[in-house]
Amino acid sequence: MALKLVEQVISDIKTELSTNMAAKLIALNAEYNDGITLVNFKAYYIAEQAAVAEYPAMFILADTTAIENEGSGWMNSAHALTIVCLITDQNSETLRKRLFRYIRACIELLITARTTLGMVINFDNIRFSPMYGAQDTFISDASLIVKVKKYETF
């Protein structure tokens, strides 16, 4: 087996989120039942983009990887990731509420993924200050900072 490090972590998390997000959003829409509808992400990116064609969009970005320890044929590594939900809405309050709910959906799916992916997934921080939509009133984002620990053999 080859050493895959953060590339495999991001791939697994992207698959987990993209596979299960639609059902999670349906459940959240039913729970809130307040007319604010969350729609599934149109695209999942693993790198920054100069432009986004469709919204909502999600970015799953690698920030850092730390090799915690290693031995002959094995390695423990810790990866810091930023998951960004980028959305649009004509109403700034609805926009903000949607961001809160999209981040909640990500957290709940990643809590489940701890078991299904066999990784240690911890949540570090949530940022509601726009990184991508700062220049537009109707586009905004929220970022979930995640720490993932993974044991690999090779």
Side-chain angles (χ1 to χ4, degrees):
M1 186 166 168
L3 188 63
K4 296 183 180 171
L5 295 169
V6 75
E7 181 178 1
Q8 189 64 52
V9 169
I10 286 182
S11 177
D12 289 348
I13 287 177
K14 178 182 174 186
T15 299
E16 190 77 17
L17 291 174
S18 64
T19 300
N20 298 303
M21 187 61 72
K24 175 56 71 176
L25 297 178
I26 289 168
L28 290 177
N29 287 336
E31 177 184 328
Y32 285 102
N33 195 26
D34 60 1
I36 298 174
T37 303
L38 303 174
V39 297
N40 202 7
F41 290 92
K42 305 289 185 199
Y44 292 79
Y45 301 102
I46 63 165
E48 292 86 349
Q49 303 293 307
V52 174
E54 292 185 278
Y55 299 92
M58 180 182 290
F59 295 83
I60 304 166
L61 307 172
D63 294 327
T64 61
T65 293
I67 307 303
E68 295 189 328
N69 50 40
E70 63 173 308
S72 178
W74 64 272
M75 182 177 290
N76 276 326
S77 53
H79 310 281
L81 310 178
T82 300
I83 298 172
V84 180
C85 300
L86 181 62
I87 67 168
T88 63
D89 199 288
Q90 296 299 310
N91 180 297
S92 61
E93 287 195 24
T94 303
L95 179 70
R96 186 58 58 168
K97 286 180 181 180
R98 282 192 171 138
L99 284 172
F100 296 154
R101 295 173 191 183
Y102 278 118
I103 291 294
R104 175 185 168 190
C106 290
I107 290 171
E108 290 180 3
L109 289 174
L110 290 173
I111 287 170
T112 302
R114 288 173 174 160
T115 303
T116 58
L117 296 179
M119 298 179 195
V120 176
I121 301 173
N122 293 308
F123 306 103
D124 185 38
N125 220 326
I126 301 171
R127 292 188 204 121
F128 292 104
S129 300
M131 292 171 49
Y132 291 93
Q135 305 304 317
D136 192 321
T137 306
F138 304 113
I139 300 173
S140 193
D141 61 83
S143 303
L144 174 62
I145 312 304
V146 179
K147 307 289 185 185
V148 178
K149 291 188 179 193
K150 186 163 184 348
Y151 174 82
E152 290 186 73
T153 57
F154 54 94

